[in-house]
Amino acid sequence: MREVVSVVRGLGPRRGCRRAPSARAWYERGVALESTDVAAAHDAYERALAGNPDLADARNNLGRLVHEAGEVAAAEACYRLALCASRDVAVYWFNLGVALEDQGRRAEAIAAYREALARDERLPDVHFNLARLYERSGDAASAQAAVRHWQLYLALRRTA
C-alpha cells in the first residue's frame, strides 16, 4: 500500500485530458475541406465514420467523393449504408439512383429515383433524370411519364 501511495504522489499535479475530435467534428471538417482538398475531406469522412458508423451524412458525402473519383460500385455501397442509417432522406435515394444509372442498371435507378420523389417531390434533378430514362424506354406509357417529369422539372426550375 505504501508503494502505491508513493507512486501516486510522484505523479505530480493532475491535468485535464484532451478529448479527440467527435465524429460530428470530423464530418464538419470534411465538409469544409471538400472544395479545397478532396483527399483530406475523404480522410475526415473516414475518421467521422470510424467514430460513428451510423453517421449517414458522412457516409453519403464519402459516397459522392468516391463516385466523382470513378469508383461507382464503392459509391453505391456508401449510399446504401447511408440509407440503412436514414431511409427517409431523398438525396441519398437520388445519389443511389445516379450510381445505379452510371452502372447501366436503369430499372433499379428508376426505382431509386421514385423512392427519392416519395420523400421529396420538389427535387428537380430527380424529375430530370427520370424524364431522360423514361424517354429512352420508347413505349407509350414511358413517353407519358417522361413528359410529366419534364413538365415538373421545368416548373420546379422556374420557381427555384
Side-chain angles (χ1 to χ4, degrees):
M1 178 73 159
R2 286 184 190 194
E3 293 171 11
V4 172
V5 171
S6 67
V7 169
V8 171
R9 284 188 186 154
L11 292 177
R14 186 171 178 198
R15 297 182 205 147
C17 294
R18 290 187 62 194
R19 295 191 186 274
S22 68
R24 191 51 138 174
W26 280 114
Y27 165 74
E28 290 169 3
R29 186 176 296 179
V31 170
L33 288 167
E34 274 194 41
S35 62
T36 58
D37 190 346
V38 173
H42 183 281
D43 291 342
Y45 291 137
E46 289 281 0
R47 293 186 89 169
L49 292 166
N52 181 358
D54 292 330
L55 189 55
D57 287 338
R59 187 77 62 191
N60 181 65
N61 287 7
L62 180 61
R64 274 190 309 95
L65 293 181
V66 298
H67 196 161
E68 290 170 5
E71 300 175 39
V72 183
E76 178 189 349
C78 286
Y79 301 143
R80 288 189 185 281
L81 288 169
L83 285 164
C84 287
S86 184
R87 294 191 64 75
D88 291 331
V89 180
V91 172
Y92 301 168
W93 285 104
F94 172 73
N95 288 344
L96 176 61
V98 173
L100 293 166
E101 188 175 352
D102 287 350
Q103 294 176 74
R105 295 159 54 193
R106 288 184 9 194
E108 291 175 79
I110 288 171
Y113 291 143
R114 292 178 70 185
E115 289 288 343
L117 288 179
R119 283 144 180 87
D120 186 352
E121 60 189 26
R122 298 162 302 160
L123 296 173
D125 292 338
V126 180
H127 289 290
F128 180 87
N129 287 7
L130 272 173
R132 275 186 315 95
L133 289 175
Y134 283 135
E135 192 174 62
R136 290 179 189 161
S137 294
D139 61 271
S142 294
Q144 288 177 335
V147 168
R148 185 170 45 86
H149 284 290
W150 281 121
Q151 290 171 338
L152 289 166
Y153 167 74
L154 293 171
L156 288 166
R157 295 302 289 179
R158 276 192 297 270
T159 60

